[in-house]
Amino acid sequence: MRTRKGLKPRQKHWTLFLKLLVVILISAVAWKGIHKPPKISADIYPYLTNLSAELVLQCQKEGEGISPEAWADLIAVRSTVEIDAEHYLIQQLQQGIGLQDIVWKNKEIQISEDVVRQILERRQILLTYPFYEPGRFAFPVMGQVWYMDTFGADREGGARRHEGTDIFGAEGIPIISAGNGKVEKLGWNRLGGERVGVRGEDGNYYYYAHLKAINPQLREGQEVRKGDFLGTLGHTGDALTTPDHLHFGIELPNGEWVNPYPFLYIWQQSQS
């Protein structure tokens, strides 16, 4: 027996199924497009992490008396041009002339358009990813600590790589939020033990692991500010047999973990 439209009931059901499948596929593609991690240029983090601490700290201090963004102007110039051109440009910045209004050439100094473009691009990187902005971040452990750069070192016999910096100190000393953000993960996991994960206002994920105890007042979804108390230093999770330390990691929105050591060093030195 046929339906009014000439289709058997089984054929009608199959047609509805195909339509539903198409809707689901279109929705899945749309969702993936909306939630696709942002593309991050491959040269951004190598540039940030290869800046010398001496240069960054010098520019932070020097920029204090010029303008709120002068630190980025100074770093962008000093990390790009030769010494003669540097002096010429820095003199203008010290006079309060913004990078967008600077005079790039005179009779002795000729700065090419490519170099000008590179300086401006680097300034934008520094402002968009403001790890070196004075006062923006705090060192995450309070008290006497020691740490070194072990990012990428073998773990579990080479089965995985170390994706953070271990900050060693006395058991129970306070751990604070390095920046502003929102608590995204809280509690126990196999490797990190007692851990807190904060989604920073910059979109990065800040991972605090091996805590002895988590601040009992924290809740997932709660906003935290730079310096807020997260917990205490310990050796939980796979750090059970190691000295007490905080494993601190930074994961970009695209899922890539970056070396936090250069940033940690600057944050610590800026506070001292």
Side-chain angles (χ1 to χ4, degrees), residues 172-191:
I173 60 177
I175 293 169
I176 61 174
S177 181
N180 302 335
K182 184 178 290 186
V183 177
E184 188 169 291
K185 298 289 184 180
L186 203 60
W188 184 272
N189 70 15
R190 182 182 69 84
L191 296 176

Side-chain angles (χ1 to χ4, degrees), residues 106-123:
N106 65 14
K107 292 181 180 179
E108 292 79 27
I109 303 297
Q110 298 292 320
I111 301 174
S112 71
E113 291 184 4
D114 286 342
V115 171
V116 172
R117 188 182 305 111
Q118 189 175 39
I119 291 172
L120 295 176
E121 286 175 352
R122 287 179 169 180
R123 176 185 188 271

